[in-house]
Amino acid sequence: MILRQTFAALAVCVAAAAQPAQARDITDGVAITDGAAMDYLETHGLSLNALLAKDWKRGAETKVLNNAELAAIAPVAALRGVVRREFLDYQRSYLARSPILKGIKEQEIGTGTNPLHRKFERNYLDSKAARFNLVGVINRMDRAFRSPGTCGEVRFLYRLAYKVTAAGVAMDERGNIFRKGSVETDSRLPVSINLVLRAKNPDGNATDDAQQCQDLAKRWMAAGASGLSGKDLAISLLKPAGALALVEPSQIDRMETNIQVMRLPTTVSKGFGGNAEYLLNIFNWNPGTRTFNLKRLENQIDRNELLRNPGKLQAFKRWLFTPERLHELAEGTIAIPEEYLAYRAITSAPGGTARATNRPFLGLISDAEAERKFNELKEAAARLDPEGKLRNIESGMALQQRLTDITCTGCHQSRAIGGFHFMGADRKSAIRDLPQNAIFVAGSPHFYADLPRRREVVKAFAGGKAPDFGRGFSMRPAETMRGNANYFPKEFAGVLNGWGSNCYMLKPGESGADPSFTSWTCGGTLTCRPIHEARHEPHHGVCVNTAKKDKLKFGDPFVFGEMTYEDMPLTRSTDERAYTYRDAYCAKTDIMNGRDAPPGQCLDPIPGEKNSTRTDTGTHGYQVGGFFGGMKRQRGCPNGLDPDTTCGTEGGATKFPGKPYRDNAFGECVVLLGDQKTSFKSCLSSSKFTHDSSLRTCSVLKPCRDDYVCVSTKNTLETKSGACLPPYFLFQFRTDGHPAPPEGAAAPPECLLRDTELNSPRPDYCARFPNQDG
């Protein structure tokens, strides 16, 4: 309201000139993702260590410290212990709910490829062979509604990367696989840090703040319209009139971390084609003590505390169910009080918000209660809106979906790449060196689909107008803003309703159709199909080409089913971070193999290699192997591929002259990585362990399905496109398969727990890890 009144009073100045809509990039004015620009920015004052240093100087050349050096900086040294304790707490939670709780065996949990439960090698966090590289700078002026005097936020995103020398792998002419020589391996790991700065420090004068926000927005709009890239773009951003010229460490607000802490291979988690868990934390910056302190997560309720304390749950509902809160919920601007929030969250992939484990409110508010409260409050809530109507929420079911959407777990698993929304595109050198482990598209489908909305906020600031801070669902951004102006220029429409987008299967007026979602349609000839429909997301699906085998295109899913879950009641021994649900996937239809489950049953076995139509030259790519929902692809790359198909490389079979394909060659290569002294690079780069396949093509405006990543190909730098694959086909998205850092492997977390916490004797192998503090 303060912003609206202030800008209404000002109503001066014209927005910075921008390129015509059809010529601009989707990131213009809202994100810097250029790898070469990142290289320059991080060596000129914007590396993680530079921004945390006491002697920071604007634009000064700075060294990017390795993690051993970074750990010596006072703020990071203090943070290190907190992060490691969070790992330990996570592990306690994991062991409390995992099938290996009793009788833990060494081969069952570890960082290599042999254990069934594969954990993150935490010693990379302070290794001399690792560093945090800047991969993106994001303008979040759309967050100004939380603190108007700050003009929102600017975010610096860093990825954990390493460079080590490890043993190579070779295959002789007889097919024997063995270690040979050494290989320098340069890779990233599935860990990201988001250093959040206030876009500016407030000065306490609303008029001054508004004018400063207007100036800042103009700088960002000019950066987007400049047409510059690489080093030239970075230099322009740091010049006196540049978008980053006013950034300084005094604006640091917090640090957010996202770490893949555990990954289960398909042999353990067949229903999901593998499974991964991510640990989310936020740390507030204390400028006086120069330390980061663990902070409660934004809108992430402490589910188990509310379950344990009925009085607190009722107090929360009294706070929530008011006209004011319902309007804020519909707008996506609600802020839950800290007393109801958790300090950490665990998210699961794949499956998104169809999975009960990613829905903190599930079971706390019944569908009947949500519907009743919505009907009681909707008219009063609508009167609070400038247009006199609620956006996004038109039913109790939509209210439930929005409650999931505002949480960290719900957002991180909506149209995400596993549990991440921004991982950063790899540099050209990495794409040339090993495209099979290089990301081509920097962010998730949700990230790009939300950029047009964010840009309109920046544009409003630049024009001296009150921004519209309302937003649609994370899984399906709003198409229009107030006044029905369209967020999406025509060339951006694919990220809204294109292939792979979330959609709704019922049309307006159909029996059971929820008007909150009926606008979620598919563009062109695409159709909406339920890869994993859930009872808490009824009639939700994904835009694909067809539901018929002979009409499937490369990339299309062909296994359709439903997500189910079972209760895991809280017990005294259950840690507060444990789940209270366990998810399961029930495959109902397998189009590729012409199979349907009997009524009330699931397909068994889940479609995989042994019951597929795979031949040496035929289609392949089944749920076993990581393709959740299946994915049509074909070995080899014939001439004349259609515009939606590209040629990519994936691990798999190799062929010997006069002999059939050897399907397990890649797997045998990966097995050698279990010693943590061998490089995966040989497994991905050698034609003896990989083959070319016809895959779904992708780009920024042509995203992959949820939980898939747009990976580089050997032709990416020429074609400006990539190929869709599950993220765990890239080692940089996996906790396992990486060489250990030169300092050695960390003690398994279970070796740091007391016997009473394990509910069993400490494993014998823990004797190999003395004196580790975790």
Side-chain angles (χ1 to χ4, degrees), residues 681-760:
K681 189 171 182 178
S682 302
C683 302
L684 288 182
S685 59
S686 173
S687 60
K688 294 185 176 181
F689 306 118
T690 62
H691 61 267
D692 288 342
S693 286
S694 298
L695 302 168
R696 170 81 187 185
T697 191
C698 51
S699 62
V700 167
L701 300 183
K702 200 172 188 177
C704 300
R705 283 159 41 196
D706 294 10
D707 291 319
Y708 282 60
V709 63
C710 189
V711 62
S712 299
T713 73
K714 56 189 176 185
N715 298 317
T716 284
L717 297 179
E718 291 75 39
T719 63
K720 308 301 180 186
S721 64
C724 294
L725 282 172
Y728 311 125
F729 278 45
L730 281 71
F731 277 85
Q732 66 164 292
F733 266 98
R734 297 168 54 158
T735 60
D736 60 311
H738 299 273
E743 296 82 0
E750 64 270 21
C751 296
L752 305 173
L753 299 174
R754 296 185 297 272
D755 291 354
T756 54
E757 293 177 300
L758 287 170
N759 292 333
S760 64

Side-chain angles (χ1 to χ4, degrees), residues 347-592:
T347 74
S348 303
T353 56
R355 297 186 66 163
T357 49
N358 292 328
R359 301 179 72 96
F361 284 93
L362 188 62
L364 295 179
I365 299 171
S366 69
D367 291 346
E369 183 179 18
E371 191 67 32
R372 184 177 70 254
K373 290 296 184 181
F374 172 76
N375 288 326
E376 289 175 1
L377 301 170
K378 61 181 181 181
E379 291 184 4
R383 287 195 292 270
L384 298 173
D385 192 86
E387 293 186 343
K389 63 181 181 180
L390 286 180
R391 297 189 289 183
N392 305 306
I393 298 178
E394 298 185 55
S395 68
M397 188 62 72
L399 186 152
Q400 294 275 48
Q401 189 66 31
R402 187 59 138 181
L403 286 173
T404 296
D405 182 79
I406 64 170
T407 65
C408 295
T409 48
C411 177
H412 275 266
Q413 291 297 334
S414 290
R415 295 225 71 192
I417 305 171
F420 296 97
H421 281 305
F422 192 91
M423 297 298 281
D426 277 284
R427 311 301 200 250
K428 291 181 179 179
S429 58
I431 294 175
R432 292 190 187 98
D433 181 51
L434 191 62
Q436 297 92 321
N437 193 47
I439 298 171
F440 174 58
V441 174
S444 70
H446 163 67
F447 170 77
Y448 287 104
D450 196 42
L451 293 187
R453 178 194 68 87
R454 298 180 192 178
R455 186 179 189 275
E456 288 301 323
V457 171
V458 179
K459 184 178 177 182
F461 270 118
K465 300 176 182 177
D468 177 1
F469 290 115
R471 64 176 181 87
F473 287 91
S474 297
M475 63 194 304
R476 179 76 182 216
E479 188 170 1
T480 59
M481 66 193 84
R482 285 196 172 91
N484 293 321
N486 200 325
Y487 284 123
F488 291 84
K490 184 177 180 181
E491 67 271 22
F492 296 172
V495 298
L496 177 75
N497 60 11
W499 185 90
S501 295
N502 291 113
C503 55
Y504 191 67
M505 291 178 284
L506 299 183
K507 295 180 174 57
E510 279 192 70
S511 176
D514 189 327
S516 310
F517 309 117
T518 50
S519 64
W520 296 13
T521 57
C522 299
T525 59
L526 299 173
T527 184
C528 191
R529 290 283 293 170
I531 296 180
H532 43 66
E533 188 174 9
R535 72 184 188 187
H536 42 265
E537 289 183 359
H539 313 300
H540 285 245
V542 173
C543 295
V544 296
N545 284 302
T546 183
K548 297 180 180 179
K549 177 181 178 179
D550 60 347
K551 300 294 184 181
L552 287 171
K553 290 187 176 182
F554 293 118
D556 276 335
F558 55 80
V559 179
F560 301 94
E562 64 181 5
M563 201 72 72
T564 60
Y565 62 88
E566 62 177 333
D567 290 325
M568 295 176 62
L570 287 168
T571 65
R572 186 172 182 176
S573 63
T574 302
D575 183 80
E576 66 175 348
R577 283 160 285 286
Y579 290 137
T580 51
Y581 292 118
R582 178 179 284 121
D583 291 308
Y585 177 68
C586 181
K588 293 288 189 179
T589 300
D590 171 14
I591 295 173
M592 182 70 74

Side-chain angles (χ1 to χ4, degrees), residues 619-641:
T619 55
H620 59 290
Y622 295 82
Q623 194 137 318
V624 171
F627 290 93
F628 182 49
M631 188 180 90
K632 179 179 176 179
R633 67 203 205 278
Q634 176 176 296
R635 186 190 311 282
C637 302
N639 294 326
L641 294 175

